[in-house]
Amino acid sequence: MAFACLEDPTLERNFKGHRDAITSVDFSLNKKQLVSGSMDSCLMIWSMKPQMRAYRFVGHKDAVMCVQFSPSGHLIASGSRDKMVRLWVPSVKGESTAFKAHTATVRSVHFSSDGQSLVTASDDKTVKVWTVHRQKFLFSLSQHINWVRCAKFSPDGRLIVSSSDDKTVKLWDKASRECIHSFCEHGGFVPHVDFHPSGTCIAAAGTDNTVKVWDVRMNRLLQHYQVHSASVNSLSFHSSGNYLITASNDSTLKILDLLEGRLLYTLHGHQGPATCVSFSRTGDLFASGGFDEQVMVWKTNFDAADYGDVLKTRKYSMNVNGALSNV
């Protein structure tokens, strides 16, 4: 599809306040706030309004490995090396409730799209599902044989995907709690995985410097990107489903055009490894974090062509040659 105007992403804000490497970033639904987690054991809530002060949330006893806003924006979940998950109210008081989720480091927290459930992943080799209300334990998924780095719900909440240092990505049926497929094509650990907005495919980041996109209906590899020169730490789909952004130890962020199957942009902002990246819910912004203790907010720009609104209402399917196509 031709662009009316293809503009480069621009760095909008640069937040400094953490005292160690950034591990995770996420926007609130209304984009008024951005949360970051760090190896300094703190969360920071950054306001997107100029001159508004940031909040520092203290509670975890060790490095914060993951953070996420709930879909409504009324809660933030965080997971830590202290084995705890905390649920915070993103206000000046910084109140939280904590529960011991795992017997080792919590690497990943993710809300279901209805905000009712939370999935966590840990170095104890398990994935666990909880109710957000009262933090009631529901069930555990335990077929990984090494640390589980990441776990996510599908957009419809029926599937869970997990990635691990056992070099597999596993797809689970939430209702039956069974592993329905293992993707074993990675040549290294798999630090991050996520669902395409349509729920029909997943993307996984590898320490073998690759990004792979799989169809979860036919369980086959659709796209394989070798664009980074070091481990890929994090990735995030644009809400249109047309783009994927990645963050790597090579210090760059890269934006992939999934329809064309090609590299669109390489962004140099961080000094040292880029550890995390996330699009806002509408895709007009993205945030990144790195070993340099900085949180950067970027304006997407390249999706601002006049068909942007049309994209949001489109559904996606995969055609046989592995390119994304419109239904």
Side-chain angles (χ1 to χ4, degrees):
M1 187 172 219
F3 284 92
C5 54
L6 191 69
E7 291 191 36
D8 298 350
T10 49
L11 182 61
E12 292 288 295
R13 306 285 296 275
N14 195 340
F15 293 121
K16 297 176 184 177
H18 280 296
R19 300 180 180 113
D20 207 337
I22 313 302
T23 57
S24 184
V25 287
D26 193 40
F27 284 97
S28 63
L29 178 66
N30 60 15
K31 292 175 299 197
K32 289 183 180 172
Q33 292 179 315
L34 174 71
V35 63
S36 57
S38 167
M39 299 298 284
D40 67 7
S41 306
C42 297
L43 286 76
M44 297 284 289
I45 312 290
W46 312 94
S47 173
M48 297 306 293
K49 287 183 183 171
Q51 282 78 54
M52 285 284 284
R53 60 184 287 270
Y55 307 145
R56 186 189 304 275
F57 286 1
V58 180
H60 283 294
K61 307 280 194 294
D62 207 334
V64 176
M65 308 307 294
C66 47
V67 292
Q68 199 207 9
F69 270 100
S70 65
S72 66
H74 298 318
L75 284 176
I76 294 167
S78 61
S80 167
R81 213 155 55 185
D82 66 10
K83 309 171 190 173
M84 307 291 283
V85 167
R86 285 183 177 265
L87 293 175
W88 309 78
V89 178
S91 64
V92 67
K93 287 183 183 172
E95 295 169 338
S96 68
T97 57
F99 62 100
K100 189 179 178 190
H102 289 273
T103 57
T105 298
V106 182
R107 293 273 172 191
S108 171
V109 289
H110 185 243
F111 286 96
S112 58
S113 53
D114 63 6
Q116 302 295 304
S117 304
L118 191 71
V119 63
T120 59
S122 168
D123 287 3
D124 67 11
K125 307 176 190 173
T126 69
V127 173
K128 292 184 179 180
V129 178
W130 314 79
T131 65
V132 172
H133 181 61
R134 297 188 178 166
Q135 301 89 56
K136 186 171 147 251
F137 171 72
L138 294 176
F139 59 89
S140 188
L141 305 171
S142 50
Q143 286 185 30
H144 282 294
I145 55 171
N146 207 332
W147 296 356
V148 189
R149 294 278 183 168
C150 187
K152 301 277 180 74
F153 287 109
S154 60
D156 64 9
R158 290 190 294 192
L159 300 174
I160 293 168
V161 68
S162 59
S163 66
S164 167
D165 283 9
D166 65 11
K167 303 184 181 179
T168 72
V169 171
K170 291 186 186 294
L171 198 62
W172 311 82
D173 183 285
K174 183 173 178 272
S176 70
R177 305 174 189 180
E178 305 218 335
C179 179
I180 52 180
H181 193 75
S182 288
F183 298 95
C184 306
E185 291 96 334
H186 268 283
F189 302 153
V190 192
H192 199 100
V193 67
D194 204 2
F195 274 96
H196 185 271
S198 67
T200 61
C201 65
I202 54 170
T207 59
D208 60 358
N209 310 354
T210 68
V211 173
K212 293 183 176 177
V213 181
W214 285 288
D215 187 312
V216 298
R217 298 167 302 180
M218 294 178 285
N219 297 329
R220 65 183 186 86
L221 186 65
L222 291 172
Q223 293 180 335
H224 179 188
Y225 295 94
Q226 292 180 287
V227 293
H228 285 289
S229 59
S231 176
V232 187
N233 296 315
S234 177
L235 47 77
S236 178
F237 280 102
H238 187 270
S239 55
S240 68
N242 290 352
Y243 309 104
L244 185 70
I245 190 165
T246 58
S248 167
N249 277 355
D250 66 12
S251 84
T252 69
L253 308 175
K254 290 187 187 273
I255 295 163
L256 305 171
D257 181 333
L258 298 173
L259 294 180
E260 299 280 339
R262 67 184 176 95
L263 176 64
L264 199 57
Y265 293 105
T266 297
L267 303 175
H268 300 268
H270 291 282
Q271 303 296 311
T275 51
C276 50
V277 68
S278 183
F279 275 113
S280 63
R281 303 295 199 270
T282 49
D284 54 333
L285 298 172
F286 58 92
S288 61
F291 267 38
D292 57 7
E293 305 174 10
Q294 296 191 67
V295 174
M296 296 182 181
V297 176
W298 309 73
K299 201 158 180 228
T300 304
N301 294 333
F302 59 79
D303 71 336
D306 46 20
Y307 66 88
D309 291 333
V310 180
L311 291 174
K312 288 172 194 163
T313 61
R314 285 231 181 97
K315 291 200 172 84
Y316 290 85
S317 71
M318 297 297 176
N319 62 24
V320 287
N321 66 12
L324 280 161
S325 64
N326 304 319
V327 181

